Amino acid sequence: MASRLNNLATFHQKLAKADRILAICGAGLSAASGLPTFRGAGGLWRNYEATDLATSEAFASDPSLIWLFYAYRRHMALQALPNAGHHALAALAKKNPNFLCLTQNVDNLSSRAGHQQQQLRTLHGSLFTLQCSSYPSRCTYIDKNNTLDPLCPALAPASVNPPNDPPTPSQPTKTIPLLDPSTPLPPIHPSHLPHCPQCKENLLRPGVVWFGESLNPTMLAEIDAWIEQGGPIDIVLVIGTSSVVYPAAGYAEKARTKGRTSVVTVNMEVEEDDVEEPRMMWGKRRRAEEDLVFQGGAEEWLPRMLEPVIGVAGDDGRY
């Protein structure tokens, strides 16, 4: 059996015959743009576990802390640039109308790369969507594509870069003083945080899906319909994700047609037995013979993998 690892020739053979393609993207897609994954080693923000900050309970307990964290993430995403992986997927969307991309990322880099919105589903929302903290039960206010930075004067410390060490696209916030845990956080009274202009009572919150919250049911129904009603899916790309958060973790197996679908993983972290030995996949299914694994960054592999369809990028990185 040909190697499953980094087998570009075999992937290109599959791609040549592929019609329907599904991509499931995680934080690893944006890593080359300088955005941390917040999972595994280094997944801390000022000695806080980032996952502990992404809850409605944390927001209710300390909205100033949570807003500083998200203001920092907004600033970081605005300073970053889409990388070659984002551009390759955006180009695939333009070339193949039967391609759908599901992203767990909230950084808007896929959209900024020109990925067509009808072929992109942002599972976990966006840093640049604001909504009333009582949305939608008591107030329906929502503001999309808000790119103000800082969002309000009280959150300006999250957007400060020392003048002698400016950010770069690969390290967009490498020197923000706010990141130093020894630097005290500025005291912010809740009255100085963003408030809902519609109900004028509640704080605004980031329009992202926090742990313990449900994903948009309409969006989930659309994804299920696409998977189930369009015929067999030929290739599932699992890009830069540890596949531990559901429902994203289950889509590869939901989309699989036995003997037809190749699940192709692109990830920096690949274990040897994940490549050559059949194993339990996400705790319930074995890796199939037709599956492939590419070890490395999405920015490295996706342009090469998709080149027969999307061509070669220009000097500006676009197709």
Side-chain angles (χ1 to χ4, degrees):
M1 183 181 70
S3 173
R4 302 176 191 274
L5 180 64
N6 300 344
N7 193 329
L8 199 59
T10 296
F11 178 80
H12 283 166
Q13 291 173 2
K14 296 177 182 291
L15 183 65
K17 302 174 183 177
D19 176 29
R20 303 189 74 223
I21 300 174
L22 177 69
I24 305 159
C25 302
L29 173 62
S30 295
S33 295
L35 303 185
T37 63
F38 285 126
R39 283 193 176 273
L44 297 177
W45 184 79
R46 288 185 56 92
N47 293 333
Y48 291 96
E49 289 282 352
T51 52
D52 291 338
L53 301 177
T55 69
S56 57
E57 292 81 7
F59 185 76
S61 174
D62 193 344
S64 298
L65 172 66
I66 306 308
W67 255 124
L68 280 170
F69 172 60
Y70 279 95
Y72 152 74
R73 294 188 65 187
R74 284 169 56 93
H75 174 75
M76 179 170 56
L78 288 170
Q79 295 290 313
L81 296 175
N83 62 56
H86 296 108
H87 287 299
L89 291 174
L92 180 61
K94 293 176 181 176
K95 293 287 187 178
N96 185 348
N98 291 324
F99 168 54
L100 180 66
C101 181
L102 314 180
T103 181
Q104 301 170 79
N105 297 335
V106 295
D107 51 41
N108 276 22
L109 290 181
S110 291
S111 296
R112 287 172 55 194
H115 199 123
Q116 299 181 126
Q117 292 304 305
Q118 66 268 29
Q119 290 170 264
L120 180 67
R121 298 293 182 272
T122 52
L123 297 176
H124 296 167
S126 169
L127 292 169
F128 304 101
T129 295
L130 306 177
Q131 64 190 50
C132 182
S133 54
S134 68
Y135 179 92
S137 59
R138 289 181 292 166
C139 180
T140 58
Y141 180 79
I142 189 165
D143 179 19
K144 297 183 178 181
N145 299 315
N146 184 311
T147 57
L148 287 176
D149 184 34
L151 188 56
C152 65
L155 297 176
S159 304
V160 173
N161 290 305
N164 295 327
D165 196 4
T168 65
S170 62
Q171 292 182 299
T173 56
K174 60 182 178 178
T175 54
I176 290 181
L178 183 74
L179 299 185
D180 183 357
S182 66
T183 301
L185 287 174
I188 302 175
H189 192 275
S191 63
H192 295 155
L193 294 173
H195 276 68
C196 177
Q198 182 169 300
C199 70
K200 305 186 186 307
E201 296 179 3
N202 299 297
L203 291 174
L204 291 176
R205 55 159 281 183
V208 298
V209 179
W210 282 331
F211 289 99
E213 296 181 335
S214 300
L215 275 64
N216 184 302
T218 301
M219 176 184 63
L220 296 181
E222 291 174 350
I223 294 170
D224 288 342
W226 188 91
I227 290 174
E228 295 168 5
Q229 297 174 12
I233 294 173
D234 301 294
I235 294 174
V236 178
L237 298 169
V238 181
I239 303 164
T241 175
S242 57
S243 296
V244 297
V245 177
Y246 279 79
Y251 278 127
E253 290 306 314
K254 180 179 286 190
R256 186 191 291 276
T257 298
K258 187 175 181 181
R260 170 71 178 262
T261 307
S262 295
V263 176
V264 181
T265 300
V266 181
N267 207 319
M268 292 292 293
E269 299 177 6
V270 174
E271 298 179 6
E272 183 177 351
D273 66 351
D274 195 36
V275 178
E276 305 300 348
E277 301 288 337
R279 62 168 295 199
M280 295 303 289
M281 188 178 189
W282 300 313
K284 62 179 182 178
R285 298 285 184 96
R286 290 188 181 274
R287 189 176 295 283
E289 278 191 30
E290 55 267 25
D291 296 347
L292 297 171
V293 177
F294 290 85
Q295 183 175 23
E299 76 287 352
E300 169 194 359
W301 278 113
L302 289 178
R304 297 170 63 190
M305 292 167 64
L306 301 176
E307 182 178 336
V309 173
I310 66 176
V312 178
D315 293 339
D316 61 354
R318 296 180 177 272
Y319 292 85

